[in-house]
Amino acid sequence: MQSDDIVRRQIRSAQRRMEALARSTREAPPEAHAFVDSALHELQTAMEELRVTEEELRQQNEALAASREALETERERYRDLFHSAPDAYLVTDCAGVIREANRAAAALLGVAETRLAGKPLALFVDAEHRRDFRARLAQHPAGGGVQEWEFRIRSRGSEAVDASCTVGLIRDRAGGVEGLRWLLRDVTERRRLETERAARAAAETGRERVEAILESIADGFLALDADWRFAYVNRAAEFLLQRDRAELLGKTFTEAFPDDVRRVGAELERARREHDVAEFEEFHPSLGSWLEYRAFPADGGLTLYVRDVTDRRVAQEELRTSEERQRVALRAARMAHWDWDLRSGVVHWSPEHNRMMGLPAGQSRGSYEAFMERVHPDDREALAETLRPALEAGEDFATEFRVVHPDGRRRWIAGYGRPLPGEDGRPARMVGVVRDVTERKEAEERDRFLGRVSDVLASSLDYRSTLQTLATLCAGSLADYCLVQVEEKGELRAPGVAHADPARAEILRGMMRRFPVDPAGPHPAVRAIRTGEPQLLAEVPPSLLAEVAGSPEHLEMLQDLGLTSAIVVPLQARGRTLGAISLARTGGAPYGAGELAVAEEVARRAALAVDNARLYEEARQAARARDEVLAVVSHDLRNPLHAVLLAATILEDLTQPGQWTERDLKQLHVIRRSAEQMTGLIQDLVEVIALEQGAPALHLARLDAAALPASVGELFHAQAEERGIHLVVETAPGLPPVEADRGRVLQVFSNLVGNALKFTPSGGTVTVRAEAAEGRVRFSVSDTGPGIPPEHLPRLFDRFWQADRSRAGGLGLGLAIARGIVEAHGGKIEVESAPGEGTTFSFTLPALPF
């Protein structure tokens, strides 16, 4: 219902109510008539105003209807203009989502009009310009007004085009922004025209400037015309091509470089034919340099940029050579490299790395987990602990671990790694090398084993018990069972029998007792002893067991041992074969050359030990026989010598002097001195025997250390004067007392001072000193004699040794006895001498507190 009809009805209704009110007021009192007439008059006036308003509303409705009709017409015309406009129009919300688009916009964006609504306009902006587009879009509603800018549109199914846009705001009735209005124009052609105009202007007005720029650049620039002739050559090109431009202009590439043109010409022809940029490098023998070319097709020819890349190519070649050298070095050092990307977890491996680790040869990429699968289970935790500081703190690491190959072989690997930090400073990569150190580890284990062998062999001179210990050491390490056999009195005996299983060791000993090896039989140990050659049995055939067995029971016991591989090496020393060592395995890998070498070394050391033990036993027997002879001789000679000495003394002391001639007296003196000398020699022999059988009996007492040199001076004063030698005694003050056997200490002094007086010429000096020395008292005897040659010093204290046996003297036992006495006191005796500078003998005795 129209608004004017509503007003009209209301007016008529109000008029009827007024007429009814007028009728009802006629019955009112006379005094109220004036008031009612006034009210009715005002109502009548209001009614008339309502009629006027009604007319105005009618006129407004007619005008509104006319306006609505005009607006609809205008809207239809706008819609026609909007959709048929040659420019692209879009309406979007403030976020750039398309609400409406005309045909030109649909054509520009390559999407149907009906499918554009709801799509973000940024979707059609080239990725290069998309960030700037969104930034401008976000700023536009806040900035207000109309803005213009340009961007590149990537339309569906066609090439990208350059577009300019004019963006205005769409406001609601309250003045708020409810959307954006876009005008898009394809300016690709305009830009092209502008570029062409700029290029023509630049070509017309800036040719000299361009040439100046081209002359100043470091790269060579050349222009070839349609006939492939040089049309322009800049200064850098002259330098690179080693030709003046006058030599090049007007010539073809072939004419200018007849020897270098083959590949250059082919690439330039391809660039012109395919109308595409050509980039390549070529070595010019005539120039002796590598040149990089970039050819750009142009109307009527080509333009070329040329750059000397000789240094780069040389560096690349050096790098390639260095990498190849590194690969050769790694291969020669039996090393392989790896590269671990800690972010992705991918590990790049070399083929040599895979060979060491037992990985597939063609696998160049892997993971940490795949690597750990190859590590020996017992070493995984330790390896992970070693890697942890490298991964967390970026520390270098070096470690050794075992790997297990798919075939069961075990290898020792040494690994070295260095973490490389990323942008955040934390380790991002780790590079390193691995090296197979199995041979070294085996050599170390072999050396440790041989060291234990040497310790065992040196622990005792009883070679029988030593060989048993050696067999026990070999069983369980080098073999499952070990048998050491030696020849003794024509028989082959086994002083060393051991098995890794103690129960089987008893069975093995029982078998050796019941079935001894026939020295003339076919046993491998007999063959090794007979030929002196080692026997390596990678496999023990059943026929050999049957040949060795002396009976069916013996064969059954041999078979029960389960021998799979064996080594038999002879024990040889000083050109003699003493016996043999037999090593056997009852499973596992067969013996090879490495184990044979170890077994031969064990046999060599064992043979020396056995030979030395036998020599030592023979020497002990010889020494016992010698000592027995010396004891008998000294005992048997002492009695007649005493009788001779006693008779000479009686004749010399009790006979009247006149009864002897001078010659008789001289002979009597000779007899007495000779008897005394022989008695002294016998006493020295007795003393040496006593020292060898144990420390001499000492009668220890607290002695004044300063009094001992004084006593020596008194004893030898007369003898020194007789020889014309100056005897000096020097004693340091405050010497502590010593605990010693006075007679024995004086015996040491007697030997040392007697030798000094004997070898010091007349006019020389012999000095006896005593001084404190770190809890001991040091006594010394120095002379100014001819000295002792250096080669004689190591043997001075040996028994029966004399530097000059042609001189009359003793048996060479004096210094040996002196050393025995000093060492029995807990001291030490030494000598210092140089030819022409004299000699000093010194010995120490433990000091007592004051």
Side-chain angles (χ1 to χ4, degrees), residues 345-375:
V346 176
V347 185
H348 295 273
W349 294 325
S350 63
E352 185 65 16
H353 175 278
N354 294 353
R355 186 192 65 78
M356 291 184 191
M357 298 294 299
L359 294 165
Q363 182 180 350
S364 60
R365 292 163 56 93
S367 64
Y368 171 77
E369 292 73 19
F371 166 81
M372 275 297 189
E373 287 181 1
R374 287 286 183 265
V375 178

Side-chain angles (χ1 to χ4, degrees), residues 348-628:
H348 295 273
W349 294 325
S350 63
E352 185 65 16
H353 175 278
N354 294 353
R355 186 192 65 78
M356 291 184 191
M357 298 294 299
L359 294 165
Q363 182 180 350
S364 60
R365 292 163 56 93
S367 64
Y368 171 77
E369 292 73 19
F371 166 81
M372 275 297 189
E373 287 181 1
R374 287 286 183 265
V375 178
H376 193 285
D378 294 344
D379 296 347
R380 289 175 186 169
E381 184 176 353
L383 179 57
E385 287 297 321
T386 301
L387 291 175
R388 183 169 292 111
L391 298 174
E392 294 177 355
E395 299 176 0
D396 294 358
F397 76 89
T399 185
E400 293 181 353
F401 54 92
R402 292 168 294 174
V403 297
V404 183
H405 285 208
D407 59 3
R409 291 185 299 117
R410 298 182 181 181
R411 309 291 294 176
W412 273 97
I413 302 296
Y416 311 88
R418 167 167 293 180
L420 302 178
E423 295 180 356
D424 58 357
R426 295 182 58 79
R429 290 174 55 214
M430 188 181 293
V431 297
V433 295
V434 292
R435 184 161 57 93
D436 190 328
V437 294
T438 305
E439 292 183 2
R440 176 174 65 79
K441 297 295 286 190
E442 290 178 348
E444 292 174 356
E445 182 62 29
R446 181 170 61 250
D447 291 343
R448 284 193 293 269
F449 174 74
L450 292 176
R452 293 196 299 270
V453 168
S454 296
D455 292 342
V456 167
L457 295 175
S459 63
S460 173
L461 288 172
D462 182 1
Y463 73 87
R464 294 174 181 82
S465 62
T466 300
L467 293 181
Q468 177 56 49
T469 307
L470 174 64
T472 303
L473 177 64
C474 292
S477 57
L478 194 59
D480 290 321
Y481 93 76
C482 177
L483 185 66
V484 184
Q485 297 165 290
V486 294
E487 283 189 319
E488 293 180 348
K489 299 179 180 180
E491 296 182 359
L492 195 59
R493 299 181 180 179
V497 179
H499 197 288
D501 183 357
R504 287 183 170 269
E506 292 301 323
I507 297 175
L508 189 61
R509 290 190 185 93
M511 183 180 69
M512 294 302 300
R513 286 193 298 268
R514 293 184 59 191
F515 306 104
V517 176
D518 183 2
H523 196 282
V526 175
R527 188 180 303 116
I529 295 172
R530 188 165 53 245
T531 63
E533 297 293 333
Q535 307 290 314
L536 173 59
L537 303 175
E539 180 182 356
V540 179
S543 58
L544 177 61
L545 298 181
E547 187 178 1
V548 169
S551 66
E553 184 181 2
H554 188 194
L555 177 59
E556 183 178 355
M557 295 181 72
L558 290 174
Q559 292 172 341
D560 288 343
L561 290 175
L563 306 181
T564 59
S565 183
I567 292 177
V568 182
V569 288
L571 298 173
Q572 294 177 318
R574 296 189 297 143
R576 296 185 301 117
T577 302
L578 309 178
I581 296 180
S582 301
L583 305 170
R585 286 178 175 171
T586 58
Y591 282 122
E595 291 87 352
L596 177 60
V598 176
E600 289 181 317
E601 180 62 21
V602 172
R604 185 185 69 80
R605 300 185 185 192
L608 289 176
V610 171
D611 189 53
N612 289 338
R614 288 181 173 178
L615 290 175
Y616 175 75
E617 184 62 29
E618 293 173 1
R620 288 185 60 186
Q621 293 176 0
R624 284 195 297 269
R626 182 206 62 200
D627 293 343
E628 291 174 1

Side-chain angles (χ1 to χ4, degrees), residues 722-733:
E722 181 182 351
R723 292 176 176 269
I725 298 173
H726 184 48
L727 180 62
V728 179
V729 176
E730 297 178 354
T731 304

Side-chain angles (χ1 to χ4, degrees), residues 818-840:
R819 181 176 65 177
I821 294 172
V822 171
E823 291 177 351
H825 281 81
K828 184 178 181 182
I829 189 169
E830 297 176 323
V831 61
E832 295 179 3
S833 182
E837 298 181 5
T839 302
T840 297

Side-chain angles (χ1 to χ4, degrees), residues 71 170 224 433 604 710 723 768 778:
L71 180 61
I170 301 175
L224 302 181
V433 295
R604 185 185 69 80
R723 292 176 176 269
V768 180
R778 184 174 183 269

